[in-house]
Amino acid sequence: QVHVVESGGGLVQTGGFLRLTCTASGLTSRTVAMAWFRQAPGKVREIVSAINWSSNTTRYADAVKARFTVSRDNAESTVYLQMDSLKPEDTAVYYCAVGSKGTVYGPWDYWGQGTPVTVSS
C-alpha cells in the first residue's frame, strides 16, 4: 500500500520562504513522477509543479515560475518544493501526488493529505 505524506507547511509573511517535503512509501517502482498541487479556499485544485523520475524534466505553473523550485531524492522517494518570495495568493493547502507512468503530465495515482500554507500580508 502506498502512503504519501507531506510536511513543511505553516504560516509565513509575504516575501518569506518555506520548504515542503513529501515522502512516498510502499512504491514498487522508483520510476514515478511526483508533483505538487494546491487548493485555495473556494478554488479548484491546480498543479504547482512536477518532476519526472530522473529529474531531467520539470514543470511549473506560470504563477510560481522563478519563485518555486522542485527537486527530488529518489533514494528516499522524496520530493521537495522550495518556495521563495511567497505571496498571499500562494495561500492554499498543498498536496503531493505520485504518478506511476513517470511523466510530469500525470496521471496522478496516489495523493497525500495535504499541508497548509498561509502567507500573511
Side-chain angles (χ1 to χ4, degrees), residues 62-112:
D62 288 343
V64 307
K65 283 180 180 177
R67 298 189 298 121
F68 291 10
T69 304
V70 65
S71 61
R72 65 186 290 171
D73 180 345
N74 284 343
E76 300 296 330
S77 297
T78 298
V79 63
Y80 307 96
L81 186 68
Q82 178 67 39
M83 306 188 296
D84 298 320
S85 302
L86 282 162
K87 304 175 181 179
E89 50 264 45
D90 295 317
T91 295
V93 177
Y94 283 70
Y95 297 90
C96 179
V98 177
S100 300
K101 289 192 177 295
T103 80
V104 297
Y105 297 100
W108 307 104
D109 307 295
Y110 307 102
W111 293 83

Side-chain angles (χ1 to χ4, degrees), residues 13-100:
Q13 291 185 334
T14 296
F17 63 91
L18 284 173
R19 189 192 197 205
L20 305 184
T21 299
C22 167
T23 299
S25 60
L27 294 171
T28 58
S29 170
R30 294 192 181 277
T31 59
V32 297
M34 301 183 81
W36 289 97
F37 287 74
R38 68 185 181 186
Q39 186 166 17
K43 295 189 176 182
V44 299
R45 189 173 299 188
E46 62 178 0
I47 191 164
V48 175
S49 183
I51 185 168
N52 72 339
W53 74 272
S54 63
S55 301
N56 64 3
T57 302
T58 57
R59 173 188 176 191
Y60 294 94
D62 288 343
V64 307
K65 283 180 180 177
R67 298 189 298 121
F68 291 10
T69 304
V70 65
S71 61
R72 65 186 290 171
D73 180 345
N74 284 343
E76 300 296 330
S77 297
T78 298
V79 63
Y80 307 96
L81 186 68
Q82 178 67 39
M83 306 188 296
D84 298 320
S85 302
L86 282 162
K87 304 175 181 179
E89 50 264 45
D90 295 317
T91 295
V93 177
Y94 283 70
Y95 297 90
C96 179
V98 177
S100 300

